Amino acid sequence: MITTTQSVKAEARDLSFIYNGGNHAVKNVSMPLYENKITALIGPSGCGKSTFLRCFNRMHDLYPGNKYEGQIVMHPDNTNILEKAVDPIEVRMRISMVFQKPNPFPKSIYENVAYGLRVRGENNKRALDDKVEEALKGAALWNEVKDRLQDLAFNLSGGQQQRLCIARALATDPEIMLFDEPTSALDPIATANIEELMSELKNKLTILVVTHNMQQAARVSDYTAYMYLGELMEYNDTDTIFTRPSRKETEDYITGKFG
């Protein structure tokens, strides 16, 4: 068990998720996300990592018939973000997501970053300009694009596109950022840039990242959760998980004996 004085930003409480059709993908998972820390989710393909991650910003609401059970509680306001009365759009402002493949909108670099602010009703050009610059700086992209903000986002390289998606996510001042295998489509240099960026971002927000890359989890995360067949098998600080796991299943997965 983790013994820490870290403050908790959000926590899953007996969280289960059942896809329309009956696939019980996440089973009674309880775990905290510590504030200003990076938590990595690891485990073999199909173990429920991405499904669990997407519960945090209600992505599954986009498809009918999916069902959540349990709670995801945000602190300090103790809001259960899975309650039907809670607007999923507001949840996604507080909890942003970056996907496996860069997915810029077919718009300019500027409009990609401004998108969430416009959805919120912000139309003041000065305010938008300031926020776009701040978000691009936060994503370590400003110096590369400041003279071409009206260019189409698709003209950027893959690594730049992923940083643009991070800037778009940052623009709404989220409290938590979700990363679903954010570097799996990138080359080693772009991967290193994203990992470095994540380490900087945790100074201002909390991060939950799904990764298949053991080395990446060991490099970037403060805490690691190992999932298998929809269940949380082990959760601890990353150093303990990788050097002194308490369960043989965790050790077998980390050492490559299976998965």
Side-chain angles (χ1 to χ4, degrees), residues 169-201:
L170 283 174
T172 57
D173 293 321
E175 298 161 53
I176 296 174
M177 278 187 75
L178 311 172
F179 288 85
D180 193 359
E181 294 193 57
T183 62
S184 63
L186 303 179
D187 63 58
I189 292 171
T191 295
N193 287 338
I194 298 291
E195 288 182 6
E196 187 180 336
L197 182 53
M198 288 167 67
S199 296
E200 290 167 13
L201 287 174

Short mmCIF file of all heavy atoms in Angstrom, two decimals, residues 169-201:
data_model
loop_
_atom_site.label_atom_id
_atom_site.label_comp_id
_atom_site.label_asym_id
_atom_site.label_seq_id
_atom_site.Cartn_x
_atom_site.Cartn_y
_atom_site.Cartn_z
N ALA A 169 -5.37 21.14 -25.67
CA ALA A 169 -5.88 20.63 -24.40
C ALA A 169 -5.57 21.60 -23.26
O ALA A 169 -6.37 21.77 -22.33
CB ALA A 169 -5.29 19.26 -24.12
N LEU A 170 -4.41 22.24 -23.31
CA LEU A 170 -3.99 23.15 -22.23
C LEU A 170 -4.79 24.46 -22.22
O LEU A 170 -4.92 25.09 -21.18
CB LEU A 170 -2.51 23.51 -22.39
CG LEU A 170 -1.48 22.47 -21.97
CD1 LEU A 170 -0.07 22.96 -22.36
CD2 LEU A 170 -1.55 22.22 -20.47
N ALA A 171 -5.31 24.85 -23.37
CA ALA A 171 -5.90 26.19 -23.52
C ALA A 171 -7.08 26.41 -22.58
O ALA A 171 -7.36 27.54 -22.19
CB ALA A 171 -6.33 26.42 -24.97
N THR A 172 -7.78 25.34 -22.21
CA THR A 172 -8.95 25.51 -21.33
C THR A 172 -8.58 25.40 -19.85
O THR A 172 -9.46 25.27 -19.00
CB THR A 172 -10.03 24.47 -21.67
OG1 THR A 172 -9.47 23.15 -21.55
CG2 THR A 172 -10.56 24.68 -23.08
N ASP A 173 -7.28 25.45 -19.54
CA ASP A 173 -6.80 25.38 -18.15
C ASP A 173 -7.32 24.14 -17.42
O ASP A 173 -7.94 24.24 -16.35
CB ASP A 173 -7.21 26.64 -17.36
CG ASP A 173 -6.50 27.87 -17.88
OD1 ASP A 173 -5.31 27.77 -18.23
OD2 ASP A 173 -7.14 28.94 -17.94
N PRO A 174 -7.06 22.95 -17.96
CA PRO A 174 -7.54 21.74 -17.29
C PRO A 174 -6.81 21.49 -15.98
O PRO A 174 -5.69 21.96 -15.79
CB PRO A 174 -7.22 20.63 -18.31
CG PRO A 174 -6.01 21.15 -19.04
CD PRO A 174 -6.22 22.64 -19.14
N GLU A 175 -7.47 20.73 -15.11
CA GLU A 175 -6.84 20.33 -13.84
C GLU A 175 -6.11 18.99 -13.99
O GLU A 175 -5.16 18.71 -13.27
CB GLU A 175 -7.92 20.22 -12.76
CG GLU A 175 -8.64 21.54 -12.50
CD GLU A 175 -9.96 21.32 -11.79
OE1 GLU A 175 -9.98 20.64 -10.73
OE2 GLU A 175 -10.99 21.81 -12.29
N ILE A 176 -6.63 18.17 -14.93
CA ILE A 176 -6.04 16.86 -15.19
C ILE A 176 -5.88 16.70 -16.69
O ILE A 176 -6.74 17.16 -17.46
CB ILE A 176 -6.94 15.72 -14.65
CG1 ILE A 176 -7.06 15.80 -13.12
CG2 ILE A 176 -6.41 14.35 -15.06
CD1 ILE A 176 -8.05 14.80 -12.52
N MET A 177 -4.78 16.07 -17.13
CA MET A 177 -4.63 15.71 -18.54
C MET A 177 -4.47 14.21 -18.66
O MET A 177 -3.70 13.59 -17.92
CB MET A 177 -3.44 16.43 -19.18
CG MET A 177 -3.81 17.84 -19.61
SD MET A 177 -2.52 18.68 -20.55
CE MET A 177 -2.65 17.87 -22.12
N LEU A 178 -5.22 13.64 -19.60
CA LEU A 178 -5.16 12.21 -19.90
C LEU A 178 -4.36 12.02 -21.18
O LEU A 178 -4.61 12.70 -22.17
CB LEU A 178 -6.57 11.66 -20.10
CG LEU A 178 -7.61 11.99 -19.02
CD1 LEU A 178 -9.00 11.55 -19.46
CD2 LEU A 178 -7.23 11.36 -17.69
N PHE A 179 -3.40 11.11 -21.15
CA PHE A 179 -2.60 10.80 -22.34
C PHE A 179 -2.79 9.32 -22.66
O PHE A 179 -2.45 8.47 -21.84
CB PHE A 179 -1.11 11.07 -22.08
CG PHE A 179 -0.73 12.52 -21.99
CD1 PHE A 179 -0.85 13.22 -20.80
CD2 PHE A 179 -0.24 13.19 -23.09
CE1 PHE A 179 -0.48 14.54 -20.70
CE2 PHE A 179 0.14 14.53 -23.01
CZ PHE A 179 0.02 15.21 -21.82
N ASP A 180 -3.34 9.02 -23.84
CA ASP A 180 -3.56 7.63 -24.24
C ASP A 180 -2.47 7.21 -25.22
O ASP A 180 -2.57 7.47 -26.41
CB ASP A 180 -4.95 7.47 -24.87
CG ASP A 180 -5.36 6.02 -25.02
OD1 ASP A 180 -4.56 5.13 -24.65
OD2 ASP A 180 -6.48 5.76 -25.50
N GLU A 181 -1.41 6.61 -24.72
CA GLU A 181 -0.25 6.22 -25.54
C GLU A 181 0.18 7.36 -26.46
O GLU A 181 0.21 7.22 -27.69
CB GLU A 181 -0.58 4.98 -26.36
CG GLU A 181 -0.81 3.75 -25.50
CD GLU A 181 -0.83 2.48 -26.32
OE1 GLU A 181 0.16 2.23 -27.02
OE2 GLU A 181 -1.85 1.78 -26.27
N PRO A 182 0.55 8.50 -25.90
CA PRO A 182 0.74 9.72 -26.70
C PRO A 182 1.93 9.69 -27.63
O PRO A 182 2.05 10.54 -28.50
CB PRO A 182 0.91 10.81 -25.63
CG PRO A 182 1.50 10.08 -24.46
CD PRO A 182 0.84 8.73 -24.47
N THR A 183 2.85 8.71 -27.46
CA THR A 183 4.05 8.71 -28.30
C THR A 183 4.15 7.48 -29.19
O THR A 183 5.14 7.29 -29.87
CB THR A 183 5.32 8.80 -27.43
OG1 THR A 183 5.37 7.65 -26.58
CG2 THR A 183 5.33 10.06 -26.58
N SER A 184 3.11 6.63 -29.22
CA SER A 184 3.23 5.36 -29.95
C SER A 184 3.36 5.57 -31.45
O SER A 184 3.86 4.70 -32.16
CB SER A 184 2.05 4.44 -29.64
OG SER A 184 0.85 5.02 -30.08
N ALA A 185 2.90 6.73 -31.97
CA ALA A 185 2.99 6.99 -33.41
C ALA A 185 4.17 7.91 -33.75
O ALA A 185 4.29 8.36 -34.89
CB ALA A 185 1.69 7.62 -33.90
N LEU A 186 5.05 8.18 -32.76
CA LEU A 186 6.12 9.16 -32.97
C LEU A 186 7.50 8.52 -32.99
O LEU A 186 7.71 7.44 -32.44
CB LEU A 186 6.07 10.21 -31.85
CG LEU A 186 4.75 10.97 -31.68
CD1 LEU A 186 4.86 11.96 -30.53
CD2 LEU A 186 4.35 11.70 -32.96
N ASP A 187 8.44 9.21 -33.62
CA ASP A 187 9.83 8.73 -33.65
C ASP A 187 10.50 9.01 -32.30
O ASP A 187 9.96 9.74 -31.46
CB ASP A 187 10.59 9.40 -34.80
CG ASP A 187 10.70 10.92 -34.63
OD1 ASP A 187 11.25 11.37 -33.60
OD2 ASP A 187 10.24 11.66 -35.52
N PRO A 188 11.69 8.45 -32.06
CA PRO A 188 12.33 8.59 -30.75
C PRO A 188 12.58 10.03 -30.31
O PRO A 188 12.45 10.35 -29.11
CB PRO A 188 13.66 7.83 -30.91
CG PRO A 188 13.37 6.81 -31.97
CD PRO A 188 12.41 7.48 -32.91
N ILE A 189 12.94 10.91 -31.25
CA ILE A 189 13.22 12.30 -30.87
C ILE A 189 11.93 13.00 -30.44
O ILE A 189 11.87 13.67 -29.39
CB ILE A 189 13.90 13.07 -32.03
CG1 ILE A 189 15.31 12.51 -32.24
CG2 ILE A 189 13.96 14.57 -31.74
CD1 ILE A 189 16.01 13.02 -33.46
N ALA A 190 10.86 12.82 -31.22
CA ALA A 190 9.57 13.42 -30.86
C ALA A 190 9.06 12.83 -29.55
O ALA A 190 8.48 13.53 -28.72
CB ALA A 190 8.55 13.19 -31.98
N THR A 191 9.30 11.53 -29.34
CA THR A 191 8.90 10.87 -28.09
C THR A 191 9.61 11.51 -26.90
O THR A 191 8.98 11.82 -25.88
CB THR A 191 9.23 9.36 -28.15
OG1 THR A 191 8.42 8.76 -29.16
CG2 THR A 191 8.98 8.68 -26.82
N ALA A 192 10.91 11.73 -27.02
CA ALA A 192 11.67 12.36 -25.94
C ALA A 192 11.13 13.76 -25.64
O ALA A 192 11.04 14.17 -24.48
CB ALA A 192 13.16 12.42 -26.31
N ASN A 193 10.75 14.50 -26.70
CA ASN A 193 10.21 15.85 -26.52
C ASN A 193 8.90 15.81 -25.72
O ASN A 193 8.67 16.63 -24.83
CB ASN A 193 9.95 16.52 -27.87
CG ASN A 193 11.24 16.93 -28.56
OD1 ASN A 193 12.27 17.09 -27.92
ND2 ASN A 193 11.20 17.08 -29.87
N ILE A 194 8.03 14.85 -26.06
CA ILE A 194 6.73 14.74 -25.37
C ILE A 194 6.95 14.33 -23.91
O ILE A 194 6.31 14.85 -22.99
CB ILE A 194 5.81 13.73 -26.08
CG1 ILE A 194 5.49 14.19 -27.52
CG2 ILE A 194 4.52 13.52 -25.28
CD1 ILE A 194 4.62 15.40 -27.66
N GLU A 195 7.87 13.40 -23.68
CA GLU A 195 8.15 12.96 -22.30
C GLU A 195 8.68 14.12 -21.45
O GLU A 195 8.27 14.31 -20.30
CB GLU A 195 9.15 11.80 -22.30
CG GLU A 195 8.55 10.50 -22.80
CD GLU A 195 9.55 9.35 -22.76
OE1 GLU A 195 10.66 9.53 -22.24
OE2 GLU A 195 9.19 8.26 -23.24
N GLU A 196 9.58 14.90 -22.04
CA GLU A 196 10.12 16.06 -21.33
C GLU A 196 9.00 17.07 -21.02
O GLU A 196 8.94 17.64 -19.92
CB GLU A 196 11.21 16.72 -22.19
CG GLU A 196 11.96 17.83 -21.50
CD GLU A 196 13.02 18.45 -22.40
OE1 GLU A 196 13.50 17.78 -23.34
OE2 GLU A 196 13.37 19.61 -22.16
N LEU A 197 8.12 17.25 -21.99
CA LEU A 197 7.00 18.17 -21.83
C LEU A 197 6.07 17.72 -20.71
O LEU A 197 5.64 18.52 -19.87
CB LEU A 197 6.24 18.25 -23.16
CG LEU A 197 5.05 19.18 -23.23
CD1 LEU A 197 5.43 20.59 -22.80
CD2 LEU A 197 4.49 19.20 -24.65
N MET A 198 5.80 16.42 -20.65
CA MET A 198 4.94 15.89 -19.59
C MET A 198 5.54 16.17 -18.21
O MET A 198 4.83 16.54 -17.27
CB MET A 198 4.71 14.39 -19.78
CG MET A 198 3.80 14.06 -20.95
SD MET A 198 3.83 12.32 -21.40
CE MET A 198 3.08 11.57 -19.97
N SER A 199 6.85 16.00 -18.11
CA SER A 199 7.52 16.25 -16.83
C SER A 199 7.40 17.71 -16.41
O SER A 199 7.30 18.02 -15.22
CB SER A 199 9.00 15.85 -16.92
OG SER A 199 9.11 14.47 -17.14
N GLU A 200 7.38 18.62 -17.40
CA GLU A 200 7.21 20.04 -17.08
C GLU A 200 5.76 20.35 -16.73
O GLU A 200 5.48 21.14 -15.82
CB GLU A 200 7.66 20.90 -18.27
CG GLU A 200 9.16 20.88 -18.50
CD GLU A 200 9.55 21.48 -19.86
OE1 GLU A 200 8.69 22.13 -20.50
OE2 GLU A 200 10.71 21.30 -20.26
N LEU A 201 4.83 19.71 -17.44
CA LEU A 201 3.41 20.01 -17.25
C LEU A 201 2.91 19.63 -15.86
O LEU A 201 1.98 20.24 -15.34
CB LEU A 201 2.56 19.28 -18.30
CG LEU A 201 2.63 19.82 -19.73
CD1 LEU A 201 1.85 18.92 -20.67
CD2 LEU A 201 2.07 21.24 -19.79
#
